[in-house]
Amino acid sequence: GGVELLFNNVRQKIIEIPSRINLPKPTTMEDLILWIKDNLLQERSELFVSGNTVRPGILVLINDTDWELEGELEYEIKDNDDIVFISTLHGG
Amino acid sequence: MCSIEDVPNEVDVKIKSITKKCIKCKSTPTILIRHSTYCKQCFQHAFVGKFRKNMDKLRSVNSKGEKVMVGFSGGPSSSRAMLQLLSDYNEVLPNEISKKPLFSEVLVCHIDESSIFGLDDSDDHDVILSQVEQVAQNYNYSFIGLQIDDIYSPDYTSNGSYNKVLEVTFDKSKQQDIDELHAKICQQETSTKKKLQSLLDGVSKFTAKEDLAWHLKQCLLINTARKNGCTKLLLGDCSTRLSIKIISLTSKGRGFSLPLETSGLNSSFGDVTIVRPMKDMLSKEIGIYNKFQGFEATIISSLTSMMPPKSSIDRLTEEFIVKLERDFPSTVSTISRTAAKLTPPEFIDSDNRCIICLMPYQKDDKIWQSRITVMTTPSSSTIVKIQNSTSENSIINSSTCSGAATCCSSDCCTSKDLNICSLTDFLCYACRINMRDINSITLPPYVSEDVQKRSGRENLKKSIEEYFLNDDD
């Protein structure tokens, strides 16, 4: 959707993040979102994150599956996972 | 009440994914919509099914091929999905010769709002326009691209050549009565882009700006559909967008026209029926469908993109409903179901329409408004004014009219200007409230044409009033 506006118009990015950001737990979605906020967000972080999760109105798909069925923030990220953020807030 | 912040412990999460199955085919689910889980194929099947159900309602026994117009804003969710669904619905496969497509011709209309932001010469603007045109051409549909400032050209009035605009000024310093609107029909020689920009600059609040922009777009779409002989206008409002509209329209005082502005089928414009086939799909479903189909979304900014939530009523309502929907998934469907029970007003004739928003309004709502509004402290003069409202009003209005001759100081108005008394009689409650935010604006020709017709009719009525027979005679 329009989320790329916040990321300097870069649509896709393959990122490598350390597999253990918060020892001893493996990296979860929560860690990923915070990592994105700190490293990739160019501006207006409140339009993407709200608290420690994404803003309401932004869909997250992990390997084409709704993240709510995978545990949302608690999902542990595996190698080569495909994560998509879709904004549903504009247009019609 | 259990807290939403509870971190689900691992046991709960595991149970969730094992016991849930796709409710149709019982395989592993991948999508969660409201409280039901679907696998990818069943989700798409159900999605397309909802669209077809809404479209089948349009079929009547004698329907031959009709021309329809699709309002395409190019935004990520509804319109893009709607075009794909429509083309699938309307195509006739080679082995189904007996089946007739419902629509003989589809026109795609896009209104370019870049004049609002003054972006006419940037590269991004052209890229977006060509992307939008490309999308329409992929389906072999004819494409009509309009600029929002075209509303100021005489093509969009009923007789096709009316060129005068309506200058309205509001004297904030007096602050006495909403009747202090000075209105004047005159000719202006500036470009349409400049006229539009001065219109939006003359309005201070974002809520009023967004409202005006939407009404201009609506008028453009309806008139374009009429001119091209289309009997139906398809708009891509999803149920999330509609429930946001329901709540924000109620807060703005547009409850009377709410059933018309948010229903799936609106025939109050006579020859053009406005249809909203996506009204049963959540924005989440549409977003996921677009992703599965691999659609590239074009980025269209609106007046309040990237702005904080409190910048306008619409923005605030959007924030509220989307947040609520996340934690309580049946919010949107409850709102839509409740509003669907409202019935539209019965008598809609051309005299009862607001001249700006083209929606019907209640008779005598101005008297109601003056009764409930406290603008000045009660003094004897104001009380006398209200009591003798019918006789005094005409005297007061004529005095403000003669004063209004000096309101327009620019030299481009000719001497054939028409001063309009009681402009507020032709506005609905919400548009009157919006007029409070203006300094001095110029409304497009379709408004001034309507005003001229209506005030002509009013004057005629007044002059032969004494010859009317009363009902009890």
Side-chain angles (χ1 to χ4, degrees):
Chain A
V3 180
E4 55 260 34
L5 273 177
L6 298 173
F7 290 90
N8 214 18
N9 286 328
V10 172
R11 274 212 175 117
Q12 257 183 318
K13 213 171 165 72
I14 300 177
I15 59 172
E16 279 186 27
I17 58 171
S19 58
R20 266 152 177 59
I21 291 183
N22 276 336
L23 288 171
K25 292 184 298 174
T27 314
T28 59
M29 283 301 291
E30 190 172 348
D31 303 323
L32 173 69
I33 290 170
L34 285 174
W35 187 92
I36 290 178
K37 176 177 167 194
D38 294 332
N39 294 303
L40 290 179
L41 258 182
Q42 301 294 326
E43 52 181 321
R44 306 301 300 276
S45 59
E46 77 273 8
L47 293 180
F48 183 71
V49 288
S50 146
N52 61 345
T53 182
V54 287
R55 188 167 167 237
I58 297 191
L59 299 176
V60 187
L61 289 179
I62 305 173
N63 298 329
D64 278 357
T65 308
D66 198 341
W67 74 330
E68 288 176 41
L69 290 177
E70 303 269 15
E72 273 202 40
L73 288 172
E74 301 297 310
Y75 170 76
E76 293 163 7
I77 306 175
K78 306 182 196 57
D79 256 350
N80 291 324
D81 266 354
D82 195 17
I83 301 179
V84 184
F85 295 95
I86 306 176
S87 160
T88 56
L89 287 178
H90 276 296
Chain B
M1 172 107 178
C2 44
S3 145
I4 301 165
E5 257 74 76
D6 272 344
V7 175
N9 54 30
E10 288 177 29
V11 179
D12 276 347
V13 170
K14 287 215 184 81
I15 289 177
K16 232 197 232 178
S17 49
I18 289 176
T19 54
K20 294 266 176 168
K21 290 190 198 278
C22 168
I23 59 175
K24 291 220 163 126
C25 64
K26 310 296 179 224
S27 58
T28 34
T30 51
I31 315 283
L32 175 71
I33 304 287
R34 293 188 199 110
H35 299 285
S36 327
T37 46
Y38 298 90
C39 69
K40 189 167 168 179
Q41 283 89 343
C42 294
F43 165 73
Q44 289 188 307
H45 192 81
F47 188 79
V48 177
K50 278 194 219 180
F51 181 80
R52 287 177 173 259
K53 204 172 71 162
N54 279 330
M55 293 302 271
D56 281 340
K57 284 190 199 150
L58 298 178
R59 275 189 197 265
S60 58
V61 181
N62 298 330
S63 60
K64 325 166 275 211
E66 295 179 4
K67 274 172 93 165
V68 288
M69 171 162 290
V70 175
F72 186 72
S73 67
S77 41
S78 318
S79 327
R80 193 70 187 79
M82 187 164 74
L83 264 188
Q84 174 68 33
L85 290 168
L86 182 65
S87 88
D88 288 338
Y89 182 75
N90 210 28
E91 69 174 303
V92 181
L93 297 170
N95 55 351
E96 292 175 0
I97 322 170
S98 56
K99 176 176 147 201
K100 272 191 301 199
L102 182 57
F103 305 124
S104 61
E105 200 181 327
V106 178
L107 292 107
V108 177
C109 178
H110 171 77
I111 299 182
D112 174 46
E113 293 180 63
S114 53
S115 335
I116 299 182
F117 311 109
L119 287 175
D120 356 64
D121 298 321
S122 68
D123 292 325
D124 292 337
H125 167 79
D126 289 325
V127 165
I128 291 177
L129 273 184
S130 55
Q131 269 178 343
V132 172
E133 194 160 351
Q134 190 62 40
V135 166
Q137 275 162 1
N138 285 344
Y139 296 102
N140 283 328
Y141 290 151
S142 357
F143 178 77
I144 301 177
L146 299 172
Q147 302 272 337
I148 194 169
D149 43 89
D150 285 345
I151 193 74
Y152 278 97
S153 88
D155 302 326
Y156 294 97
T157 56
S158 12
N159 70 354
S161 54
Y162 191 87
N163 204 17
K164 309 208 180 99
V165 294
L166 187 69
E167 283 211 359
V168 184
T169 46
F170 180 51
D171 206 339
K172 284 208 178 98
S173 56
K174 290 198 189 148
Q175 285 264 344
Q176 285 218 348
D177 222 355
I178 199 65
D179 282 326
E180 291 299 318
L181 277 180
H182 302 296
K184 188 162 142 151
I185 295 185
C186 62
Q187 196 94 9
Q188 263 192 9
E189 300 302 326
T190 48
S191 74
T192 51
K193 275 201 182 39
K194 284 213 171 54
K195 281 184 194 156
L196 181 73
Q197 267 162 6
S198 75
L199 170 70
L200 291 175
D201 290 337
V203 183
S204 50
K205 297 272 183 340
F206 271 107
T207 306
K209 269 198 237 223
E210 278 185 337
D211 255 8
L212 270 177
W214 163 244
H215 294 142
L216 297 182
K217 266 195 284 186
Q218 188 179 263
C219 181
L220 264 181
L221 280 174
I222 292 175
N223 278 318
T224 314
R226 265 196 197 127
K227 271 200 312 184
N228 286 295
C230 298
T231 48
K232 296 211 162 37
L233 173 66
L234 264 59
L235 295 180
D237 293 312
C238 61
S239 63
T240 314
R241 179 65 45 194
L242 276 181
S243 49
I244 293 171
K245 226 176 169 178
I246 290 169
I247 304 284
S248 61
L249 286 180
T250 316
S251 349
K252 288 187 235 173
R254 290 187 190 275
F256 191 69
S257 55
L258 204 153
L260 291 175
E261 293 204 52
T262 53
S263 68
L265 206 71
N266 175 8
S267 3
S268 69
F269 287 103
D271 44 351
V272 179
T273 314
I274 301 182
V275 187
R276 296 187 164 91
M278 315 284 279
K279 69 170 171 49
D280 296 319
M281 284 93 130
L282 288 175
S283 57
K284 177 175 179 179
E285 296 177 45
I286 296 179
I288 295 180
Y289 176 77
N290 283 350
K291 164 74 176 52
F292 286 161
Q293 298 278 326
F295 291 151
E296 288 273 314
T298 44
I299 304 168
I300 310 278
S301 347
S302 76
L303 273 170
T304 47
S305 299
M306 306 271 241
M307 289 232 178
K310 286 200 188 143
S311 42
S312 79
I313 290 183
D314 284 330
R315 187 83 180 75
L316 188 64
T317 316
E318 178 187 57
E319 183 84 11
F320 170 63
I321 298 226
V322 171
K323 215 176 194 168
L324 207 58
E325 172 80 14
R326 181 159 78 163
D327 299 319
F328 301 100
S330 19
T331 307
V332 165
S333 47
T334 312
I335 296 176
S336 313
R337 255 204 328 266
T338 313
K341 294 184 186 156
L342 292 169
T343 48
E346 303 110 18
F347 304 119
I348 305 172
D349 55 23
S350 52
D351 263 356
N352 256 356
R353 280 184 186 276
C354 171
I355 51 174
I356 296 181
C357 64
L358 306 178
M359 286 290 151
Y361 60 86
Q362 279 170 308
K363 274 192 156 47
D364 303 333
D365 62 350
K366 197 170 159 195
I367 300 177
W368 169 80
Q369 184 185 5
S370 60
R371 266 201 219 120
I372 64 167
T373 313
V374 181
M375 295 285 262
T376 57
T377 53
S379 60
S380 50
S381 55
T382 7
I383 294 174
V384 167
K385 200 200 239 184
I386 294 175
Q387 277 174 349
N388 303 338
S389 54
T390 40
S391 55
E392 287 262 3
N393 248 349
S394 45
I395 303 173
I396 291 167
N397 278 334
S398 55
S399 63
T400 51
C401 274
S402 53
T406 51
C407 78
C408 174
S409 52
S410 66
D411 310 86
C412 45
C413 285
T414 66
S415 55
K416 282 199 279 189
D417 305 335
L418 203 60
N419 287 319
I420 303 292
C421 320
S422 65
L423 173 72
T424 48
D425 282 341
F426 304 136
L427 296 175
C428 64
Y429 172 73
C431 287
R432 231 176 284 140
I433 302 288
N434 280 343
M435 285 292 131
R436 276 207 202 125
D437 290 329
I438 63 167
N439 288 318
S440 153
I441 58 171
T442 320
L443 291 169
Y446 79 93
V447 181
S448 40
E449 190 188 15
D450 225 352
V451 168
Q452 195 163 12
K453 250 192 262 177
R454 296 261 284 265
S455 57
R457 235 181 275 156
E458 293 269 320
N459 288 338
L460 190 64
K461 241 200 213 166
K462 277 203 193 92
S463 60
I464 58 175
E465 209 165 33
E466 49 189 52
Y467 299 110
F468 281 151
L469 291 172
N470 282 329
D471 279 332
D472 36 300
D473 275 357

